[in-house]
Amino acid sequence: MKTLGLLGGMSWQSTSQYYQLLNQGVAARLGGLHSAAIIMVSVDFAPIEKLMRAREWSACSELLVTAAIRVAEAGADVLLLCTNTMHKLAPEIEAAVAIPFLHIADATGEKITAAGLKRVGLLGTRFTMEEEFYRKRLEQRFGLSVTIPDKAERQLVDRVIFTELCRGEIRAASKTEYLRIIVGLADQGAEAVIAGCTEITMLVSPEESPLPLFDTTRLHAEHAVNFALARES
């Protein structure tokens, strides 16, 4: 079994889901008392969030690259960045380490393509929804057409993530708003919706969603389990 390296803490709420999903995935595949071999560096999210809001991306990159190097030097065989938004800095992080980097959008795009879908809605932080780093990868690598909510809805989705979900707060009113926004994406032609923030499924589960919902946290974890248990050729 290969050792999985996690760069987490953004937020710790979703990073805890990664730990659970990875161990459950390995146990389901190997049985008995098997669990995942994991090395994790979990950062303090508060200063990173402030840098994000100020769009000080070079400072964010420096912090995350340093943390990623710690994961690799500790003996991890592969690196997972346990957040969608900070994949904005994936090129810098990937270039800094000698181990493979498993991109969350690739795990998601592969699953959507396998389902035969082409038009998807995207929910996440405003950075993930509005900037190109995530949508462009899905469009160019997987031929997907990606739709996002309007500006007011994007602001609502982003606010709920940072002020509620990242703090572990689950509010019924916010769930109602998210479900309404998903219906709106369906009205725009979306065949499915991507939970493009690792905290979103804390609020809306796939079973509750009016559209098929692709849980990026779970898909990323499944991709990592496959990597960890793949036999050497």
Side-chain angles (χ1 to χ4, degrees):
M1 186 193 316
K2 298 180 185 70
T3 299
L4 301 172
L6 307 186
L7 176 46
M10 299 164 281
S11 67
W12 72 262
Q13 301 285 344
S14 62
T15 301
S16 68
Q17 293 181 48
Y18 270 92
Y19 187 78
Q20 183 176 28
L21 289 167
L22 292 168
N23 282 293
Q24 288 174 339
V26 169
R29 292 273 293 275
L30 299 183
L33 293 177
H34 283 288
S35 56
I38 295 173
I39 291 170
M40 179 169 65
V41 171
S42 186
V43 299
D44 180 7
F45 191 31
I48 291 174
E49 189 271 343
K50 288 180 181 177
L51 291 171
M52 290 166 62
R53 292 294 172 188
R55 297 189 177 272
E56 296 285 348
W57 294 110
S58 60
C60 285
S61 176
E62 184 177 347
L63 289 172
L64 294 188
V65 163
T66 299
I69 291 171
R70 288 174 60 197
V71 175
E73 290 181 343
D77 295 308
V78 65
L79 179 64
L80 282 79
L81 179 58
C82 303
T83 162
N84 283 275
T85 299
M86 301 312 285
H87 274 73
K88 176 180 174 67
L89 304 175
E92 294 91 329
I93 294 168
E94 189 170 10
V97 296
I99 58 177
F101 180 88
L102 299 185
H103 200 292
I104 195 169
D106 292 346
T108 304
E110 287 172 8
K111 200 72 171 182
I112 294 170
T113 301
L117 303 174
K118 288 292 185 182
R119 295 178 59 84
V120 294
L122 175 62
L123 299 181
T125 66
R126 61 186 174 92
F127 306 108
T128 300
M129 291 185 287
E130 295 175 0
E131 298 188 22
E132 289 189 341
F133 69 92
Y134 202 92
R135 290 186 289 113
K136 196 169 185 180
R137 193 174 184 101
L138 292 172
E139 291 165 353
Q140 293 185 340
R141 292 199 171 207
F142 301 98
L144 299 176
S145 174
V146 181
T147 301
I148 60 174
D150 66 30
K151 183 176 180 179
E153 292 173 336
R154 294 196 302 269
Q155 290 174 340
L156 184 150
V157 170
D158 182 89
R159 177 186 59 75
V160 168
I161 290 168
F162 282 103
T163 65
E164 298 174 23
L165 301 183
C166 287
R167 301 171 188 231
E169 296 180 14
I170 309 301
R171 300 181 184 177
S174 296
K175 177 182 290 191
T176 298
E177 288 297 290
Y178 267 51
L179 293 174
R180 177 185 61 78
I181 291 169
I182 292 172
V183 169
L185 292 171
D187 291 341
Q188 294 181 61
E191 302 169 288
V193 63
I194 298 170
C197 176
T198 49
E199 287 83 14
I200 285 177
T201 50
M202 294 167 55
L203 183 65
V204 178
S205 70
E207 294 75 22
E208 295 170 314
S209 175
L211 284 175
L213 187 146
F214 287 83
D215 179 353
T216 56
T217 306
R218 184 173 294 276
L219 295 175
H220 203 195
E222 289 175 357
H223 197 55
V225 170
N226 290 337
F227 184 96
L229 300 183
R231 295 189 178 187
E232 300 290 344
S233 58

